[in-house]
Structures are given as structure tokens and as C-alpha cells.
């Protein structure tokens, strides 16, 4: 199953699934802006409709985004008449922009879109390759535990608008760490189902994959406000540096020798 097909199909309702103006977006933008140098260069993998990238560009950062869905990139282009965000169409596990950035990040559940561990390692390798000296990689991911423990299929309803809802049916294949979600838009016409397949990974597993890609964990938070990460955290925001940068004295954001500032 191809995430490009999934997101081409979801592009028309994506704004309703994940509203553009939300406190979480403001926190995400603050976090990335504070981590990056003033007027720094930022790359988002899975930039989508630019929900995060556009407000980041409005903060004076140079923002580049990669996405595999032409329909999602078309939504971004519609909202970005001035071309504030530079985009590249393609698979972020396989391509790079050929440039380097102070901050390379991936948000929401996008790190789980590549559906094998090998592809997720390739994603981390591309992130490392595009990292400028002293730069940071940031990954947001949800805690897989509730899904890993799920028995059978679960169905929930998501409000989209006064005239439409989305029914999400979730089936977990625990042995392969895969989740199949069927998103069905119900709006009075023919119901429109779209399948999404993701592979979840544990935080410690992501750290190990990051090591394989030449990255080292420097900080982990429970959210974009910089909340402490702990047993109750439903997600994590993890910050990595190039393994080897520790020799240059950049051992933690905000620590001595860190030109990014603390988060
Ligand atoms: C959940 S959306 C997140 C969009 C945006 N970052 C946001 O927070 O709203 C995931 C995005 O990643 C893109 N995507 C998923 N896998 C990809 C891949 N391997 N290469 C490029 N884009 C990918 C999808 O097309 C989609 O636009």
C-alpha cells in the first residue's frame, strides 16, 4: 500500500481531519523555530499541505518540504501564493534535496508511514545526509502501546464538519507492528473509504535505528511544549544530532556550545 495513494485520496478532507489553526501547530512551530538559528534552514519530511511549514516560513526561516503526494503539495501551493516554502515531490526515504539544513524534522505519525524497519532506517539516513554541521533532527511519534495491546478491530468517529464525519476502523497486526486504518468519509453521498497502512516503532527502537543512520539522541520530550517525557506520555518529540557532534561540545540543546538555543 502506497502512502502517496492514501494522501492523494485524503487531500480534500485533510484540513478537516487536522485543522490548520490549532494550539499544537503553534507549539510545533515555536519548538522548531527556537531549536533553529535565526533565519536558519529547515527541512520537513512529509510536508503535506504546509500546515507547519507555512507558519515556520512566516517566522523568517527558510523552509523546504518533501512530499510524495501531488494532491497534498497542490493544497500547499494553493495556500502559498508567494512560494514561501520550497517543495520537492518524491519519496523521502529515497531522495534528498541535495542541500543541508539546520533542522530536519518529521511530525505527526509521518515517521511511521514507511511500512518496514528498513525503510524507516533509510528515512533516518536521508535525514542525516541533509543535516548541516551542528544541526538537529526532530521526530514526533505517538506511543504505540495502546495499539500494540489492541485486541480485534476498533472503530471511532471523527467530526469533520456539520455535514460530514469520518469513520476510522483500526486493525493492528501486532507481529509486524502494522496498523491498517480505513478512513471512511460519510457526508450524505456514497461513503468514501481510504486505506492507510503504518508501521509503528518503539522509542528505543527509533533510537537504535537512528544510531544505524549515524544519529544520536540528545533530548526527548512528551510534546511540543517541551513537556517532560515519562511513562504517561502519549507521544514523544525526540531530538537527535549527528553522532560525532558530541565531540564538538553540542551534547544537549541549550548546553555549552549549542548555537540553536534551548527548547
Ligand atoms: C500525516 S501527513 C502530515 C502532513 C504534515 N506534516 C502535517 O503535519 O499536517 C503525512 C504526509 O507525509 C507524506 N508521506 C508519507 N510517506 C511519504 C514518503 N515515503 N515520502 C514522501 N512523503 C510521504 C504524505 O503524502 C502526507 O502528506
Amino acid at each position: 500500500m502506497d502512502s502517496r495513494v492514501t494522501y492523494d485520496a485524503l487531500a480534500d478532507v485533510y484540513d478537516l481531519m487536522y485543522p490548520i489553526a490549532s494550539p499544537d501547530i503553534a507549539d510545533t512551530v515555536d519548538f522548531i523555530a527556537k531549536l533553529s538559528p535565526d533565519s536558519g534552514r529547515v527541512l520537513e519530511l512529509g510536508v503535506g499541505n504546509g500546515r507547519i511549514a507555512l507558519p515556520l516560513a512566516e517566522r523568517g526561516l527558510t523552509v523546504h518540504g518533501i512530499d510524495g503526494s501531488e494532491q497534498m503539495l497542490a493544497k500547499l501551493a494553493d495556500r502559498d501564493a508567494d512560494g514561501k516554502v520550497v517543495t520537492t515531490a518524491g519519496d523521502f526515504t529515497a531522495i534528498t534535496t541535495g542541500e543541508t539544513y539546520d533542522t530536519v524534522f518529521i511530525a505527526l505519525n509521518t515517521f511511521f508511514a514507511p511500512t518496514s524497519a528498513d525503510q524507516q532506517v533509510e528515512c533516518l539516513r536521508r535525514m542525516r545526509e541533509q543535516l548541516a554541521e551542528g544541526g538537529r533532527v526532530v521526530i514526533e511519534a505517538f506511543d504505540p502501546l495502546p495499539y500494540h495491546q489492541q485486541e480485534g478491530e476498533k472503530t471511532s468517529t471523527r467530526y469533520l464538519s456539520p455535514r460530514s464525519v469520518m469513520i476510522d476502523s483500526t486493525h493492528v497486526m501486532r507481529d509486524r507492528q502494522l496498523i491498517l486504518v480505513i478512513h471512511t468519509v460519510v457526508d450524505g453521498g456514497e461513503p468514501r473509504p481510504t486505506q492507510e497502512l503504518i508501521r509503528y516503532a518503539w522509542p528505543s527502537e527509533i533510537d537504535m535505528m537512528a544510531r544505524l543512520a549515524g544519529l544520536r539522541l540528545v533530548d526527548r520530550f512528551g510534546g511540543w511544549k517541551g513537556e517532560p517525557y515519562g511513562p504517561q506520555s502519549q507521544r514523544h518529540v525526540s531530538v537527535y544530532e549527528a553522532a560525532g557532534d558530541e565531540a564538538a561540545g553540542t551534547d544537549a540543546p541549550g548546553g555549552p556550545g549549542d548555537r540553536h538555543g534551548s527548547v
Side-chain angles (χ1 to χ4, degrees), residues 2-260:
D2 187 338
S3 72
R4 183 173 41 92
V5 176
T6 301
Y7 280 91
D8 276 352
L10 291 177
D12 275 341
V13 290
Y14 190 82
D15 275 358
L16 303 173
M17 294 171 73
Y18 298 103
I20 285 170
S22 79
D24 205 43
I25 291 292
D27 293 338
T28 310
V29 169
D30 268 354
F31 186 102
I32 299 294
K34 281 186 195 158
L35 192 65
S36 310
D38 290 346
S39 314
R41 294 170 53 74
V42 174
L43 173 67
E44 183 181 5
L45 302 192
V47 66
N49 65 1
R51 208 167 64 109
I52 302 167
L54 270 168
L56 266 178
E58 279 153 13
R59 292 275 284 258
L61 293 155
T62 298
V63 184
H64 200 138
I66 301 179
D67 205 284
S69 161
E70 283 176 20
Q71 296 304 321
M72 291 293 277
L73 289 176
K75 296 284 174 196
L76 194 163
D78 285 349
R79 297 175 45 220
D80 186 20
D82 305 333
K84 292 190 201 81
V85 176
V86 178
T87 59
T88 300
D91 177 354
F92 58 58
T93 69
I95 62 155
T96 69
T97 65
E99 296 176 33
T100 59
Y101 303 87
D102 302 299
T103 308
V104 179
F105 77 99
I106 190 161
L108 214 61
N109 55 10
T110 309
F111 182 69
F112 295 160
T115 51
S116 72
D118 282 347
Q119 283 179 300
Q120 289 172 346
V121 172
E122 289 310 307
C123 170
L124 288 159
R125 290 201 168 113
R126 300 297 87 73
M127 293 178 103
R128 168 68 188 90
E129 285 164 11
Q130 293 172 95
L131 202 58
E133 198 181 334
R136 295 284 190 267
V137 161
V138 183
I139 299 175
E140 177 190 21
F142 62 78
D143 172 24
L145 189 62
Y147 295 96
H148 195 68
Q149 291 177 330
Q150 181 177 311
E151 299 291 346
E153 192 149 301
K154 281 214 169 132
T155 299
S156 60
T157 309
R158 191 195 298 244
Y159 172 90
L160 293 182
S161 76
R163 291 180 175 276
S164 59
V165 292
M166 177 175 272
I167 298 172
D168 293 323
S169 298
T170 308
H171 180 80
V172 180
M173 290 154 266
R174 194 182 292 159
D175 54 332
R176 294 165 65 199
Q177 295 179 205
L178 291 174
I179 305 175
L180 174 65
V181 190
I182 302 172
H183 305 283
T184 305
V185 177
V186 179
D187 59 5
E190 189 72 20
R192 297 192 300 284
T194 302
Q195 296 191 352
E196 178 173 26
L197 187 67
I198 59 175
R199 178 191 184 269
Y200 58 85
W202 305 94
S204 56
E205 185 186 357
I206 299 175
D207 296 346
M208 191 62 77
M209 292 193 283
R211 295 295 298 217
L212 291 174
L215 294 165
R216 185 185 78 102
L217 181 73
V218 286
D219 237 326
R220 171 159 287 143
F221 302 96
W224 291 109
K225 279 189 200 306
E227 301 91 326
Y229 176 74
Q232 307 306 324
S233 300
Q234 293 176 358
R235 62 175 165 174
H236 60 98
V237 173
S238 300
V239 182
Y240 301 84
E241 68 179 3
D245 272 8
E246 61 267 40
T250 57
D251 47 10
D258 176 20
R259 65 184 172 76
H260 290 254

